[in-house]
Amino acid sequence: MSGLIEDCFKYYNTRNLYSVLGIESDSDESQVKKGYRRVSLKVHPDRVEPEQQQEATLKFQILGKVYSILSDKEKRAVYDETGEVVGDDEFNDEQKNRDWNKYWRQLFSVVTVDDIVNYERNYKESDEELADLKEAYLKYEGDMDKIMQCVLCANVIDDEPRLTEILNNLIKSQEIPDFPKFSKETTKKKERRKRKAEKEAKELKKELGDDSAATGNNSLTSLIKQRQKSRESEMNDFFSHLEQKYANQKPTKNKSKKSKK
């Protein structure tokens, strides 16, 4: 068994390269690229805590190798035929020093302020957001601390009340189970999460030189634009950090959800 496939099993719990990207074996080139981008946004090293970065970096590198195989017609054909990555040792030796962050950025266009704002506008209250919310709720068994970190574009101050209402409606309709971590979460825990979010927002605004830091306005758009205006030299690093969360997609609005009370 090749080293890459064993690494996939170790870090992604599957020996199927297509499953690593969350796609089917008959996916076309655009679907392969979309799958790679979606998973890479979830495992990007910039997203995790410092103590988790080593493992996240390995997962990110493995993901890049999987994509480089499935996006190459000849390598993909050999894998489809044999289930193996032929010459995997040579492949690793050749690319072990590759800058996978640079490789990622070469594949996808640089994210701009407008891209992020437009994506956030289309993502929120969309079917995609609903699916991500349900997935996070089930994965973390209702732990809102982890759910709010996992759902794209969500922040505690602006979005938690809305997402909580959605989850309550899903529980009432029996679409998701009623986890005690969610329904019986203590007021103290909720307030602690809110205080932490407010503190982080205030510190960030102070860093950006925003005199309105104490107003509680946590708009992603204003923060990005402030950063763009005051720290032009840091824009690349800033967007590199955000790219793991936002992609240039246009989710379909979930109109029916807006009517829920």
Side-chain angles (χ1 to χ4, degrees):
M1 189 68 68
S2 68
L4 177 58
I5 291 179
E6 283 302 299
D7 285 343
C8 290
F9 181 71
K10 180 177 180 180
Y11 291 100
Y12 289 94
N13 199 32
T14 180
R15 291 187 172 90
N16 187 304
L17 300 190
Y18 293 101
S19 295
V20 173
L21 300 188
I23 59 176
E24 301 296 329
S25 59
D26 60 352
S27 297
D28 60 25
E29 292 181 11
S30 64
Q31 291 171 319
V32 171
K33 187 174 184 179
K34 183 177 180 180
Y36 170 56
R37 178 171 59 184
R38 183 172 180 82
V39 179
S40 67
L41 294 177
K42 294 182 179 181
V43 304
H44 197 289
D46 285 350
R47 184 172 190 174
V48 302
E49 298 297 326
E51 62 270 18
Q52 299 174 313
Q53 285 188 344
Q54 184 175 359
E55 180 175 334
T57 298
L58 288 173
K59 293 181 73 173
F60 191 68
Q61 292 171 345
I62 292 166
L63 191 68
K65 294 175 183 179
V66 169
Y67 174 73
S68 69
I69 291 171
L70 297 185
S71 61
D72 184 293
K73 291 183 179 180
E74 293 183 2
K75 291 180 181 178
R76 180 175 177 178
V78 172
Y79 173 72
D80 287 343
E81 180 69 23
T82 67
E84 291 285 338
V85 179
V86 177
D88 185 45
D89 291 338
E90 290 81 1
F91 173 79
N92 285 330
D93 289 340
E94 176 186 350
Q95 302 197 22
K96 64 182 180 181
N97 294 319
R98 168 176 277 179
D99 185 337
W100 292 101
N101 273 294
K102 183 178 181 180
Y103 176 69
W104 192 92
R105 290 179 66 86
Q106 288 174 340
L107 290 173
F108 306 115
S109 58
V110 176
V111 178
T112 66
V113 171
D114 287 340
D115 288 333
I116 298 172
V117 172
N118 290 333
Y119 181 76
E120 180 184 19
R121 183 183 299 117
N122 285 282
Y123 178 81
K124 289 187 175 183
E125 300 189 2
S126 70
D127 290 329
E128 184 179 358
E129 182 194 51
L130 178 61
D132 289 346
L133 177 61
K134 290 168 68 175
E135 179 183 354
Y137 177 83
L138 294 172
K139 180 177 180 180
Y140 297 115
E141 298 185 347
D143 188 332
M144 284 300 289
D145 284 345
K146 295 179 180 179
I147 291 171
M148 293 307 299
Q149 292 175 1
C150 183
V151 177
L152 301 179
C153 305
N155 69 74
V156 172
I157 298 173
D158 295 335
D159 300 301
E160 183 173 342
R162 176 177 63 85
L163 298 182
T164 298
E165 182 180 2
I166 292 173
L167 290 172
N168 280 323
N169 288 333
L170 292 172
I171 292 172
K172 289 179 182 178
S173 63
Q174 298 185 336
E175 292 185 51
I176 57 176
D178 183 359
F179 290 122
K181 286 183 181 179
F182 175 75
S183 59
K184 297 183 179 181
E185 183 181 39
T186 65
T187 301
K188 183 178 180 180
K189 189 169 183 286
K190 293 177 183 179
E191 291 177 346
R192 182 168 63 245
R193 183 167 57 248
K194 184 177 181 180
R195 286 197 301 270
K196 180 180 178 182
E198 289 174 340
K199 180 180 179 181
E200 290 174 349
K202 186 174 181 178
E203 289 176 349
L204 179 57
K205 288 186 177 185
K206 183 177 180 180
E207 176 190 346
L208 300 179
D210 182 6
D211 293 334
S212 64
T215 64
N217 179 4
N218 196 39
S219 167
L220 172 66
T221 304
S222 65
L223 291 179
I224 295 173
K225 289 184 176 179
Q226 290 165 32
R227 183 100 187 201
Q228 184 183 43
K229 181 178 179 180
S230 62
R231 298 281 185 85
E232 287 291 338
S233 63
E234 296 181 7
M235 280 296 290
N236 286 337
D237 289 340
F238 182 65
F239 286 122
S240 177
H241 176 70
L242 289 179
E243 278 172 350
Q244 46 81 27
K245 245 188 174 184
Y246 303 103
N248 188 20
Q249 305 174 30
K250 296 182 178 180
T252 303
K253 282 285 184 179
N254 181 8
K255 300 298 183 181
S256 60
K257 185 156 57 103
K258 287 186 173 182
S259 64
K260 289 185 178 181
K261 295 183 180 181

